[in-house]
Amino acid sequence: MRVLLTGSSGWLGRCLAPMLRAQGHDVIGLDHAPGIETGIVGTVADSALVASVFDAHRFDGVIHAAALHKPDIARHPRQAFVDTNVTGTLHLLEAAVRHGVGRFVFTSTTSLMITAAIREERGAAAVWLDEESGPLRPRNIYGATKRAAEDLCRLVHADHRLPVIVLRTARFFPEDDDTHRDLSGENMKANEFLNRRLTVEDCARAHIVALNQAPRIGFGLYIVSAPTPFRPAEAGALKSDAAAVIARHFPAAPALYAARGWSLPAGIGRVYDASAIARDLGFRCRTDFAAVLDALGTGGPLPFAHDPAYVSPAAGDR
């Protein structure tokens, strides 16, 4: 297939483009920032550019990963989020319809599911989050615009039957969290594989599976995260004493963490359930918390990327 990949200079795009080519696809990368995987420099907010790109290439599929993200809130006004995340998505969807593109994958985020109450962990139990969770009340412009873009994907599919799969991805960024400093970056990322993280490689694989299966599915929306070892019945215990729950599932975890000088989470406030994408698309992340413990036990490299110095391509605009 000839595939348009937006966001090709970003963290996901740089991983995804080589994987697509390795499977025999012809990849055209579009990004506002130059990059090794980017053949066309420009923004999806530019309707004339988007039209010209589709006129010049006969795309079989589109993977739309370009976006302004949560850290970009400090660098860009709200209108820039609307222009890129909402208007840009509409430009691509409409161009895909006009040109008879056979499949469209949209990179969304689990962040839009997190209300202020969930973020502040006000409840007595961990919140179990799946594709039916709601009502959705995004807490910032990033989440609000990604939710609007999801709605556009659903609307265009309903009106034109364009096969679309929306992937609500959990965390896979390599940099440190910009709001939590209690744990080291590696310790925090390791903990998050229990409930809200995946590797960029697994995220890329999920996009390829979605691209391949979109015509069969028609329209689908899926959470993409490492499979959690927990069950909904453990939600109360996860909030009050997560370390004990983790030790029951992984008896070696406390000692392995102590040897590294790490801390298990005392409480977990939310859990992403990625079982739907496993059921419908047969996709399961290869890296999970057990893989993290295996690396700690053998002394091998951690199975995820950590780069405190990473800066999003969007930062280059300021």
Side-chain angles (χ1 to χ4, degrees):
M1 286 188 284
R2 174 164 290 182
V3 179
L4 174 63
L5 172 61
T6 73
S8 50
S9 294
W11 179 242
L12 173 60
R14 296 201 306 268
C15 180
L16 180 51
M19 286 190 184
L20 286 164
R21 286 198 304 272
Q23 294 200 1
H25 300 304
D26 180 12
V27 183
I28 307 297
L30 167 65
D31 200 295
H32 79 287
I36 190 171
E37 302 294 349
T38 297
I40 303 168
V41 177
T43 173
V44 294
D46 183 343
S47 60
L49 173 66
V50 171
S52 69
V53 169
F54 276 80
D55 288 341
H57 303 279
R58 296 181 62 86
F59 293 119
D60 302 294
V62 174
I63 297 179
H64 177 29
L68 291 182
H69 296 276
K70 191 260 184 183
D72 298 317
I73 293 173
R75 299 185 282 261
H76 295 272
R78 288 179 174 177
Q79 186 61 54
F81 280 80
V82 174
D83 294 343
T84 299
N85 295 358
V86 182
T87 306
T89 300
L90 182 59
H91 290 160
L92 291 164
L93 288 164
E94 291 185 333
V97 169
R98 286 196 307 271
H99 288 265
V101 173
R103 57 201 75 202
F104 193 104
V105 179
F106 174 62
T107 311
S108 189
T109 174
T110 52
S111 178
L112 63 81
M113 306 171 68
I114 307 306
T115 63
I118 293 174
R119 180 172 178 78
E120 294 166 12
E121 301 186 357
R122 299 174 191 169
V127 179
W128 197 267
L129 294 164
D130 61 20
E131 291 79 1
E132 302 302 318
S133 297
L136 299 178
R137 296 191 181 102
R139 69 189 186 279
N140 55 39
I141 189 64
Y142 171 51
T145 53
K146 295 298 271 189
R147 182 187 177 186
E150 285 189 1
D151 287 342
L152 289 174
C153 288
R154 185 178 288 104
L155 179 64
V156 170
H157 167 73
D159 288 347
H160 301 285
R161 313 316 299 172
L162 172 67
V164 180
I165 290 184
V166 174
L167 298 179
R168 284 184 184 167
T169 63
R171 293 176 160 209
F172 60 89
F173 56 78
E175 66 266 36
D176 287 329
D177 188 288
D178 62 352
T179 56
H180 297 283
R181 304 294 184 189
D182 294 339
L183 300 176
S184 71
E186 288 183 334
N187 188 168
M188 185 168 183
K189 285 182 174 65
N191 289 355
E192 289 173 343
F193 276 90
L194 288 160
N195 64 314
R196 59 168 180 165
R197 179 168 283 275
L198 72 164
T199 66
V200 68
E201 294 84 3
D202 277 332
C203 192
R205 293 184 190 102
H207 281 73
I208 294 173
V209 170
L211 183 72
N212 291 336
Q213 300 204 35
R216 179 181 66 83
I217 296 295
F219 180 85
L221 185 153
Y222 299 103
I223 289 173
V224 190
S225 188
T228 181
F230 307 129
R231 302 180 302 274
E234 297 174 298
L238 283 171
K239 184 65 185 298
S240 61
D241 191 358
V245 180
I246 295 164
R248 287 200 298 271
H249 285 275
F250 303 99
L256 290 171
Y257 262 54
R260 185 96 176 195
W262 283 3
S263 299
L264 289 167
I268 289 177
R270 61 185 183 267
V271 177
Y272 297 143
D273 182 351
S275 59
I277 194 170
R279 179 194 67 223
D280 293 354
L281 273 63
F283 175 80
R284 186 183 189 277
C285 290
R286 295 178 183 175
T287 300
D288 56 12
F289 188 69
V292 174
L293 295 183
D294 285 345
L296 294 179
T298 63
L302 292 170
F304 57 84
H306 175 65
D307 181 4
Y310 178 79
V311 178
S312 162
D317 292 349
R318 291 291 183 269

